[in-house]
Amino acid sequence: MGKTDRGEHPLMFDDYTVDTVDAQWLQERVKPKRHIGLTAELCILCRACEDVCPWECIYMMDPAVIRDATNPEIKSLAETSGAVFIIDDAECTRCAICVERCPSDALWLGRVEGY
Ligand code: SF4
Ligand code: SF4
C-alpha cells in the first residue's frame, strides 16, 4: 500500500479512463514557451541560419512575398526591407542552433510574454 498526501491508495489504480490527447494541446505543452527574435539592424543577410537549421524551418524570403499585405505596417516593411524572415512555428523546436550560428548576434531566444 502506498501513501500520498491524500492518504493510502492501492499500488495499482483501476478507476481511470483513457482519453485521446488533443494533438494541438500536446504540441503546445511539449515546446518551451520561447520564440526566436531577430534584430534586423544586425543581420548581414548571410543566410547561415537557414543553412544550419536541422528542421529547415527558417526562411529568408524576398520582401515581395508580403507586398500585397493589407496591414500598413507590414506593407511598409515590405517596401523598406532587404529580406523577410519566416519561421515555421509548427516545426521549430526552439533548439537555438540558429541563434548560436548567427555570426552577428542578430538572432536571439526570447520568452513568450506571460511565461
Ligand atoms: S530554433 Fe532550431 S528549429 Fe527553430 S529555426 Fe532555429 S535552428 Fe531551426
Ligand atoms: S545567420 Fe544571422 S546574420 Fe545571417 S542571415 Fe541569419 S539572422 Fe542574418
Side-chain angles (χ1 to χ4, degrees):
M1 196 76 77
K3 272 200 165 193
T4 71
D5 55 358
R6 291 185 188 175
E8 289 186 343
H9 63 79
L11 288 177
M12 294 184 71
F13 292 94
D14 59 2
D15 58 344
Y16 59 85
T17 53
V18 177
D19 288 324
T20 304
V21 177
D22 177 68
Q24 179 67 31
W25 177 87
L26 191 60
Q27 190 152 23
E28 286 169 2
R29 299 294 293 186
V30 297
K31 285 190 176 181
K33 306 294 183 192
R34 311 296 293 267
H35 67 88
I36 303 298
L38 171 77
T39 304
E41 300 75 35
L42 297 177
C43 178
I44 57 173
L45 304 178
C46 68
R47 306 191 83 159
C49 49
E50 263 186 334
D51 185 49
V52 80
C53 174
W55 306 104
E56 298 184 356
C57 61
I58 181 167
Y59 307 93
M60 194 176 96
M61 306 191 77
D62 189 315
V65 297
I66 54 169
R67 77 178 156 220
D68 295 332
T70 50
N71 179 311
E73 204 176 328
I74 293 177
K75 202 171 177 61
S76 156
L77 273 176
E79 286 158 7
T80 55
S81 302
V84 171
F85 280 86
I86 293 175
I87 293 180
D88 182 343
D89 198 53
E91 295 296 327
C92 175
T93 61
R94 288 38 157 189
C95 66
I97 289 174
C98 56
V99 175
E100 293 295 318
R101 177 67 185 88
C102 178
S104 62
D105 291 333
L107 289 174
W108 41 274
L109 195 58
R111 284 198 174 278
V112 174
E113 212 171 306
Y115 289 93

